[in-house]
Amino acid sequence: MTTPLPRHDGTIALVTGANKGIGREVARQLAASGMTVLLGARSAERGQAAVAELIADGAGDVRFLHLDVTDEATVQAAAEAVERDFDGLHVLVNNAGISGISRVTHPSIADVTASDVRRAYETNVVGVIAVTQALLGPLCRARGRVVNMSSALGSFARVTGANGGAPSPHLLLPYSSAKAALNMVTVLYAKALSEAGVSVNAVSPGYVATDLNNQAGTRTVAEGARIVVDLATRPAGELPTGAFLSDSGDLPW
Ligand code: NAP
């Protein structure tokens, strides 16, 4: 019996932090839609295991790409591999993220240290900038699309209740402030890259059961992946840029 060749339609997507959680599900769905998906992971062991599982499940053309978003050497090597192997990058999902806190060691905001915040910003903000910047060439050549994994917890309106809703009770200093910064990063890249035809949007997947929240979330990874896959696959003419979206519509900044 011969193994069927993976189907792919020439669309190249890179998902960071895709060895588990929402990123893995996004990688699975994009590959199932026909894209060639580069599954970024900081651990070769975890990344290759995820690729092997997805391929065994018939996901399509999924390839491991070693990428620690906080490690400039792996970011540069990953960008060089994309430049070498492909004409352009059509979809970049900046998904890798950390909460930067734990309920056990951070029972209150007074227990959060500057180094906790630095660590969260390194991954959730600086990491996104490092990866996006390193891939600008392939993204511009493909008139690509960037989807930044933000959070409703990064929304000033949601946290303060300024949109008329109940203010969020969560005071997650490293995480919320990093995602708020990521929202501004998204808007600035969207403005800067619009002439090159590259769209840049921020999304919130909702409260999804993953290791990030010790599986406490109420949504599935498939539900969390929905808005990302939507933006990655929508016809170009229907794509916003500089927006903050969930699968139920626009989110307030
Ligand atoms: P998760 O299951 O913990 O997945 C996070 C992924 O990011 C893992 O693959 C992790 O790799 C990777 N990662 C962490 N640091 C990295 C680094 N320096 N370089 C490369 N990869 C790194 O959590 P998730 O819920 O799926 O989170 C995915 C994204 O969604 C995050 O940006 C998160 O902030 C966002 N989000 C999640 C929720 C939710 O309710 N779950 C809500 C709003 C937003 P390792 O396995 O090596 O740690």
Side-chain angles (χ1 to χ4, degrees):
M1 201 174 80
T2 55
T3 312
L5 283 172
R7 301 159 280 128
H8 51 89
D9 65 8
T11 306
I12 313 302
L14 165 57
V15 186
T16 69
N19 54 287
K20 67 177 182 179
I22 304 167
R24 182 185 186 281
E25 176 62 15
V26 168
R28 188 188 73 73
Q29 290 194 29
L30 295 185
S33 80
M35 296 184 190
T36 291
V37 177
L38 309 176
L39 182 150
R42 59 179 160 177
S43 151
E45 194 185 343
R46 293 193 287 277
Q48 277 160 351
V51 168
E53 277 170 29
L54 290 174
I55 289 175
D57 287 350
D61 189 7
V62 187
R63 309 176 189 187
F64 168 65
L65 186 65
H66 185 217
L67 179 51
D68 180 335
V69 303
T70 65
D71 176 352
E72 197 61 32
T74 71
V75 172
Q76 285 313 319
E80 280 163 27
V82 171
E83 288 275 5
R84 185 188 64 229
D85 296 341
F86 305 104
D87 293 334
L89 182 64
H90 303 88
V91 178
L92 169 62
V93 182
N94 283 311
N95 167 77
I98 59 169
S99 73
I101 44 124
S102 95
R103 276 176 215 285
V104 181
T105 51
H106 302 91
S108 88
I109 207 165
D111 299 300
V112 173
T113 64
S115 81
D116 296 326
V117 176
R118 229 173 255 129
R119 212 166 60 82
Y121 280 44
E122 249 333 294
T123 305
N124 299 350
V125 186
V126 182
V128 173
I129 296 168
V131 171
T132 306
Q133 200 275 337
L135 289 163
L136 280 179
L139 279 168
C140 289
R141 278 198 291 285
R143 299 178 72 79
R145 28 187 98 184
V146 179
V147 183
N148 290 334
M149 265 296 196
S150 184
S151 167
L153 293 170
S155 158
F156 284 90
R158 284 287 180 90
V159 171
T160 59
N163 62 335
S168 162
H170 305 293
L171 305 178
L172 306 177
L173 175 54
Y175 188 75
S176 277
S177 62
K179 293 297 188 183
L182 176 61
N183 286 352
M184 181 58 84
V185 167
T186 302
V187 168
L188 296 178
Y189 270 122
K191 287 164 80 95
L193 297 177
S194 71
E195 262 188 36
V198 176
S199 70
V200 188
N201 291 293
V203 300
S204 169
Y207 189 35
V208 177
T210 66
D211 290 348
L212 191 88
N213 49 38
N214 299 317
Q215 304 294 328
T218 49
R219 307 190 88 201
T220 64
V221 287
E223 289 169 320
R226 195 180 287 152
I227 182 62
V228 183
V229 173
D230 174 10
L231 288 175
T233 55
R234 252 188 225 184
E238 297 171 20
L239 209 53
T241 193
F244 185 22
L245 301 159
S246 73
D247 61 1
S248 47
D250 282 345
L251 285 168
W253 294 107

